[in-house]
Amino acid sequence: MFDWLTHLFTPTHEPDITQSIMVILLTIGLGVLAGRWKVKKVSLGVSAIMFSGLLLGHLGYALRPDISNFIRDFGLILFVYGIGIQVGPSFFSSFRKEGLRFNLLGVTTVLLGGALTLCIYYMTSESIEEAVGIMSGAVTNTPGLGAAVSTLQEIGHQYPERTFEDPAIGYAITYPMGVAGIILMIILTKLFLKIDLPRELELLHAARSKETEPVVRKKCRVLEAGCIGKSISSVLEQHDLNDIIISRQKHHGSTQVITPSTDSILEDKDVLMVVGRPSVVDQFIAIAGRESTDEQIESAQDVVWKTVFVTRKASSHKTLEELDLFNRYGVTVTRVYRSGMELLAHPTLELFYGDRLRMVGPEKDIDEASSVVGNSEKRLLEPDFLSLFAGMLVGILLGSVPIMIPSLPVPIKLGFAAGPLIVALLISRYGGIGAIHSYINHGAVLFMKDLGICLFFASVGLHAGSDFYESFVANHGWLWLGYGAIITFIPLLFMILVGRFWMRINFYQLAGLMSGAYTDPAALSFCNGYLDSDVPTQSYATIYPLVTILRIFVAQLLILLCI
């Protein structure tokens, strides 16, 4: 009577499609539950799916090979594309600050790990496939494993007579130690270096306050004769203050507040609302007169401000100058919010789908101007599958381009990991490529990332689990853990010594860099809870893209050079 149920849940090495789907869902479900268990604020998170896959694979559950390959590759594409969309803007902007130093430290750490892997390969009897798997697990780098597997498949297609070891087994053996090793090093660094967390946070805030200037607004009373009777544009050009926006103007003795154009004339004792960076705003006020305490310019009913969303395709990829909102509607755009960044609204600033505009002007005029840019929050909640899948398609095309390097048996490729990641970074940074735009609802990005990594872990875990125990015993698994410990701890010690004592990196940032260099979301989650701060996340995102791409190349090169 219940044969159908027994058929679905009985382990078999030759499953049909329905059984394969059931196994995938069961693996992910058990992994998610296990990932919620915490020990001393530490949990495996979604990486527990890997271990549930190992367990079920060991018990005899399996996937059809074609389904397993599809789920593994598609999951990896979803994961890295979501990462690229999320961190793109901060990744590029960080290079104007401390990002260059951070990425240099991360790159050096990756190369050191690759060199140690090469030493293990030459000094032991392990194959290069096993060594790369051990390395990928020891540094908790999933895209590197995916690149290694893809490279081996490419070589297998050209040389069908050759057989290779499965790097996923070494990855699965050393992965838990890699996660625990990063967390342990963060804790030991804090203890042995006697880090004073409140002091570190104070130093960090002091340093950032000098580097970054938020956009502010201040009121100015025009008193200087050199400005009276001149247009706003002529005053700004004369003193090279192009980073200033005058959003409101009120003449002396009047209660009427207007939205001025750049051609508006400044009169004696006018009150202006000035928007820009603090240092530039203060410079303008010193030139024009003094700071004002006039309250009418803020409380006026005829001039208001509203936040408007760019959701009309016809308005995206156009500059504010091309939209000409002031001359058409009497509305001034003072700021643009994009991917967590606040931008001053220059006339030449190009708008992208999903941007938020701060508009100032009469309420009726703002409503009319809003129709030009769209302002449909509902549309932003609806996923644009054309942009999403077209972006991933471009990423796959880029990842499939063969890069010929002399003396290597097969061309090197960016693959399913680095190709979509690079395209997503560029789309996110520049707002889009043609009809492909970068805006994806934040919740949708998180869902896409988590779904992708869940599918990847489930496929890899089930595949490696079928021979995991036998491989652990046959290959001296404890010895592999020792090799993995070398690859995990020596580069981390290098990061701590160089980052803390030579580069003088703040401990909050250093903890995020340690997690980012090993592309480890579980360690990052621990950092955020252990340090009670989101600073580690910012430094993690700064180096994650470049480190991920480099780890993919290192994994491929090691196999191609030594196979």
Side-chain angles (χ1 to χ4, degrees):
M1 180 177 178
F2 293 100
D3 291 345
W4 62 272
L5 189 61
T6 305
H7 172 73
L8 285 178
F9 288 97
T10 299
T12 174
H13 289 288
E14 296 182 357
D16 56 26
I17 293 178
T18 305
Q19 288 173 310
S20 296
I21 294 174
M22 290 296 294
V23 170
I24 279 287
L25 296 178
L26 182 62
T27 302
I28 294 175
L30 290 176
V32 170
L33 286 175
R36 292 177 179 175
W37 297 341
K38 291 187 178 181
V39 179
K40 301 289 186 181
K41 294 184 178 180
V42 180
S43 67
L44 288 175
V46 294
S47 59
I49 296 171
M50 161 74 76
F51 303 107
S52 69
L54 288 172
L55 175 61
L56 292 176
H58 174 68
L59 294 176
Y61 291 93
L63 299 175
R64 285 176 49 138
D66 53 346
I67 293 179
S68 178
N69 293 338
F70 170 76
I71 288 177
R72 182 195 65 211
D73 294 339
F74 187 62
L76 184 62
I77 292 168
L78 286 176
F79 175 68
V80 297
Y81 192 81
I83 285 286
I85 289 293
Q86 187 177 38
V87 307
S90 61
F91 171 70
F92 286 100
S93 64
S94 69
F95 279 93
R96 296 193 297 268
K97 303 171 188 175
E98 67 271 299
L100 190 59
R101 290 192 309 140
F102 287 179
N103 277 281
L104 179 61
L105 181 60
V107 165
T108 308
T109 303
V110 173
L111 295 177
L112 178 57
L116 291 171
T117 304
L118 204 57
C119 290
I120 290 171
Y121 166 67
Y122 282 118
M123 297 173 65
T124 68
S125 60
E126 312 300 342
S127 68
I128 191 61
E129 309 98 273
E130 293 168 334
V132 169
I134 291 170
M135 177 191 71
S136 298
V139 299
T140 67
N141 185 250
T142 305
L145 173 65
V149 172
S150 297
T151 302
L152 289 171
Q153 288 177 340
E154 185 75 21
I155 297 175
H157 291 153
Q158 295 200 19
Y159 304 96
E161 72 282 357
R162 303 188 63 176
T163 58
F164 304 102
E165 302 293 339
D166 186 359
I169 297 173
Y171 174 93
I173 290 175
T174 57
Y175 186 93
M177 187 270 304
V179 174
I182 301 169
I183 293 172
L184 180 63
M185 288 296 285
I186 292 171
I187 295 173
L188 292 178
T189 301
K190 178 180 177 297
L191 292 177
F192 282 102
L193 298 184
K194 298 179 180 179
I195 302 294
D196 183 353
L197 292 181
R199 175 62 177 163
E200 289 291 305
L201 203 56
E202 181 181 331
L203 291 173
L204 182 64
H205 289 160
R208 287 189 169 180
S209 64
K210 295 178 182 179
E211 295 177 358
T212 59
E213 288 187 306
V215 176
V216 299
R217 62 174 192 162
K218 291 186 178 181
K219 293 170 287 188
C220 172
R221 175 78 69 176
V222 179
L223 298 173
E224 293 296 327
C227 296
I228 297 173
K230 293 184 177 180
S231 67
I232 293 175
S233 60
S234 63
V235 173
L236 296 180
E237 290 174 5
Q238 180 182 350
H239 298 281
D240 194 23
L241 295 174
N242 295 322
D243 291 339
I244 286 290
I245 293 176
I246 309 298
S247 62
R248 305 186 189 195
Q249 180 181 21
K250 184 177 80 69
H251 296 305
H252 179 61
S254 172
T255 59
Q256 183 181 10
V257 178
I258 62 172
T259 304
S261 70
T262 55
D263 295 327
S264 296
I265 303 299
L266 298 178
E267 299 180 6
D268 187 29
K269 297 181 181 179
D270 274 358
V271 178
L272 309 175
M273 184 67 76
V274 189
V275 180
R277 304 295 177 187
S279 57
V280 185
V281 170
D282 291 341
Q283 184 181 353
F284 175 83
I285 292 175
I287 292 170
R290 60 174 172 80
E291 192 168 352
S292 173
T293 58
D294 190 298
E295 295 182 356
Q296 286 185 330
I297 195 171
E298 292 189 84
S299 60
Q301 298 298 315
D302 48 347
V303 174
V304 299
W305 66 265
K306 284 187 177 182
T307 299
V308 176
F309 296 91
V310 178
T311 58
R312 190 177 178 189
K313 297 292 180 68
S315 297
S316 62
H317 295 290
K318 286 190 175 180
T319 64
L320 289 170
E321 190 174 38
E322 289 174 330
L323 291 179
D324 197 17
L325 297 178
F326 180 82
N327 289 325
R328 294 171 64 186
Y329 304 102
V331 169
T332 299
V333 178
T334 60
R335 310 177 205 189
V336 177
Y337 301 91
R338 177 185 301 158
S339 300
M341 298 186 298
E342 183 180 28
L343 309 173
L344 198 63
H346 296 291
T348 56
L349 181 65
E350 185 179 359
L351 300 182
F352 299 124
Y353 188 88
D355 282 353
R356 290 185 297 133
L357 313 182
R358 174 70 63 85
M359 289 186 177
V360 178
E363 186 169 7
K364 182 179 178 181
D365 294 340
I366 290 179
D367 291 339
E368 292 181 5
S370 298
S371 63
V372 174
V373 297
N375 198 31
S376 174
E377 291 187 61
K378 180 181 178 181
R379 181 171 294 180
L380 292 178
L381 296 175
E382 299 172 352
D384 187 342
F385 288 113
L386 174 61
S387 289
L388 176 61
F389 287 105
M392 288 191 287
L393 175 62
V394 175
I396 294 171
L397 290 174
L398 178 63
S400 301
V401 175
I403 304 172
M404 301 298 299
I405 298 179
S407 76
L408 293 183
V410 296
I412 194 170
K413 296 180 180 180
L414 292 173
F416 290 146
L421 177 62
I422 292 174
V423 169
L425 287 172
L426 295 174
I427 289 175
S428 181
R429 169 63 179 85
Y430 296 105
I433 300 176
I436 306 171
H437 63 73
S438 65
Y439 182 83
I440 300 178
N441 181 275
H442 181 67
V445 172
L446 295 179
F447 176 78
M448 180 168 64
K449 283 169 44 190
D450 289 348
L451 175 62
I453 200 63
C454 286
L455 293 175
F456 182 87
F457 276 148
S459 174
V460 170
L462 285 164
H463 178 70
S466 59
D467 300 315
F468 180 80
Y469 178 76
E470 293 79 4
S471 299
F472 190 93
V473 174
N475 296 290
H476 308 288
W478 295 110
L479 189 59
W480 282 16
L481 285 175
Y483 297 151
I486 293 172
I487 300 172
T488 297
F489 289 108
I490 291 180
L492 281 176
L493 184 61
F494 169 82
M495 282 197 81
I496 294 167
L497 295 176
V498 174
R500 185 66 182 176
F501 295 104
W502 184 45
M503 293 186 171
R504 303 290 180 183
I505 297 175
N506 187 278
F507 179 72
Y508 281 84
Q509 294 174 313
L510 185 60
L513 292 177
M514 292 166 69
S515 303
Y518 282 46
T519 60
D520 188 353
L524 176 64
S525 177
F526 167 78
C527 286
N528 290 338
Y530 183 62
L531 302 178
D532 191 24
S533 171
D534 64 346
V535 172
T537 302
Q538 299 165 12
S539 52
Y540 176 96
T542 299
I543 69 170
Y544 180 92
L546 185 59
V547 163
T548 298
I549 294 169
L550 186 60
R551 287 207 181 277
I552 290 168
F553 276 124
V554 167
Q556 288 182 317
L557 283 173
L558 287 175
I559 288 177
L560 292 173
L561 289 172
C562 303
I563 204 74

